[in-house]
Amino acid sequence: MIASDSSRQRAAKNGGFERAEHLAGLIMALARREGMKAGDRLIEQRLADALDLSRAPIRLGLKALEAAGLARGEPHRGFVLAKNPTSGAAQPALAAVRRSEQVYATIAGDFLASRLPADVTEAELMRRYDLSRAELQRLLDRIAAEGWIARLPGYGWRFTETVSSPEAQAKAMAFRVVIEPAAIAQPDFMLSQEVIARLRERQQRVLEGELEKMTIGEIYHSGCEFHEEIIRGACNPFFVEALKRVNSIRRLFAYRSFADRDGMRRHVREHLRLLDVLEARRYAEAADLMAKHLQRPLVPGLS
């Protein structure tokens, strides 16, 4: 019994350490996407909103960054970055996020190619993908939240076939073609100059070389942030929640289409053109541009 308790305590400690490392990596990946530099503040609530987490795990990640020398606490400022997210010192923290993205893409690819059985156990998945229990649990929680796997009563997990079908993908895109231009066409739609400038700066960095350094997951997240920020301009939370939901399902297919860097560059240039029109407040034209942008797939045959 003592040995068993000791093993459980070690497993819990290791799992907690892995979780803190993962959270630290998520924060550094976000700081990298945002173009943050050493000395910039890491504001808890802003990080929590951007990563869709509560402030408690954000604090855990910030403490892990501090322990690694990548962040530091300052009086009256909270945590600030101690190292640039693009520096060599930040790479170990980012490595855990990249590994998670790679495994996610592999699982998604195996699922879409029907290389996985409908029903699976955690032990099977751990062996197949060489994962610790903590790593697998994070991935299963994420996949379950996206709606393409569900826990079976009592034991195991079951993949959901409906979200992997070409019909589901087409319907997700058709839904976006309806709601995103409609949001821009709302009478109260407005994007501040600050938001437009921030979005433009991010897209320019991607176009000017950042794209080659980003994982598929980071590229996908950047695109989601762009579209979700624009739809917030309608000042209607139902638009935002609807888009977030469809984006979470659509992510399953992203590793195929977002691997096309030429298609991504074209998409980013379209984003920049859309921002120019939004800045000029030509909203009818912007709504039309958004519809055309969404109807043009990155890769022929893929949404």
Side-chain angles (χ1 to χ4, degrees), residues 90 99 158 182 218:
R99 169 172 161 74
R158 174 169 294 165
E218 288 175 323

Side-chain angles (χ1 to χ4, degrees), residues 33-51:
R33 289 196 302 273
E34 299 260 338
M36 296 178 70
K37 306 292 184 185
D40 287 348
R41 291 184 65 198
L42 294 165
I43 301 171
E44 282 187 14
Q45 191 58 59
R46 187 178 298 169
L47 295 172
D49 292 342
L51 295 173

Side-chain angles (χ1 to χ4, degrees), residues 8 16 27 37-38 88 96 100 108 131 133 166 168 188 196 213 215 226 232 236 250 261 295-296 299:
R8 282 196 293 269
I27 294 171
K37 306 292 184 185
S100 179
L131 297 169
R133 187 166 296 279
D188 295 333
I196 290 173
K213 305 172 187 175
T215 66
F226 179 87
R232 281 192 181 91
N236 185 330
R250 192 172 60 91
R261 294 305 204 256
Q295 289 169 331
R296 187 180 297 118
V299 180

Side-chain angles (χ1 to χ4, degrees), residues 43-63:
I43 301 171
E44 282 187 14
Q45 191 58 59
R46 187 178 298 169
L47 295 172
D49 292 342
L51 295 173
D52 198 20
L53 295 169
S54 69
R55 293 178 69 171
I58 293 298
R59 290 191 198 105
L60 185 64
L62 289 171
K63 288 177 181 177

Side-chain angles (χ1 to χ4, degrees), residues 72-127:
R72 64 177 181 272
E74 292 188 351
H76 312 299
R77 296 192 72 202
F79 284 96
V80 300
L81 275 174
K83 303 285 185 181
N84 288 337
T86 55
S87 68
Q91 297 315 302
L94 294 168
V97 175
R98 292 196 183 101
R99 169 172 161 74
S100 179
E101 289 295 333
Q102 289 167 354
V103 177
Y104 173 95
T106 301
I107 295 174
D110 287 346
F111 170 51
L112 290 173
S114 301
R115 289 190 289 264
L116 286 168
D119 294 352
V120 292
T121 66
E122 292 184 11
E124 290 169 343
L125 293 173
M126 287 167 64
R127 285 194 301 269

